[in-house]
Amino acid sequence: MEKKKFFRLADLILILVLAAIALAVFLPRELKKPDGNVTAVITQDGEVVRKIDLSSVKKPYTIALDCSPKAWVTVEPGCIFYSKANCKDQICVNTGKLDKPGDSAACLPSRTTIRLESNGGGAVHGNGPDIISY
């Protein structure tokens, strides 16, 4: 009596092909770099306080925002983030580094926000949609 093979070469090829298709379909599009420059827009009480072209930043620096409670924003080449805040919840600090158009962070107690925009009007790749849902 001949033993049946549990796993054949054709099975392995099928698994590899399906894995490659799954990676191609579900690979995050955020890994692609946006076209053009990314600008950080810092607002307080809905008013634009500062705009920073993140592609032109060469050395890291920190900005102390004029708000109450106090908040500090650190700007690095290609990214920006809340580095310190004198509020209880620290949600803004825990948001992490913002580096792609569409990223945003807010410190609600100090009424400040940071959002990233691209030169293409805010979309990651030109004028197309920034998200698609089914």
Side-chain angles (χ1 to χ4, degrees):
M1 190 169 187
E2 187 179 327
K3 271 186 159 180
K4 287 188 175 183
K5 291 185 177 180
F6 179 71
F7 200 72
R8 293 183 294 186
L9 181 61
D11 296 332
L12 179 64
I13 292 172
L14 179 63
I15 290 170
L16 290 175
V17 167
L18 290 175
I21 291 171
L23 279 175
V25 170
F26 297 111
L27 190 64
R29 297 183 193 275
E30 290 85 28
L31 294 178
K32 297 179 183 178
K33 288 290 181 188
D35 300 329
N37 298 336
V38 178
T39 302
V41 179
I42 302 172
T43 61
Q44 182 178 359
D45 292 324
E47 304 276 330
V48 175
V49 176
R50 199 167 195 170
K51 288 187 174 189
I52 303 165
D53 181 5
L54 295 180
S55 64
S56 67
V57 175
K58 302 299 181 212
K59 293 182 181 179
Y61 61 92
T62 301
I63 302 167
L65 299 177
D66 185 26
C67 56
S68 179
K70 287 297 275 182
W72 290 264
V73 173
T74 298
V75 182
E76 294 178 350
C79 70
I80 187 169
F81 57 97
Y82 282 100
S83 53
K84 185 178 174 187
N86 287 343
C87 54
K88 283 195 293 184
D89 56 16
Q90 298 290 302
I91 292 173
C92 56
V93 175
N94 294 328
T95 299
K97 295 183 177 184
L98 311 175
D99 60 356
K100 294 180 292 300
D103 285 353
S104 65
C107 183
L108 296 181
S110 67
R111 298 178 316 277
T112 61
T113 63
I114 303 170
R115 78 175 181 278
L116 299 188
E117 299 177 345
S118 71
N119 286 346
V124 176
H125 297 286
N127 294 327
D130 57 356
I131 188 167
I132 298 172
S133 61
Y134 297 96

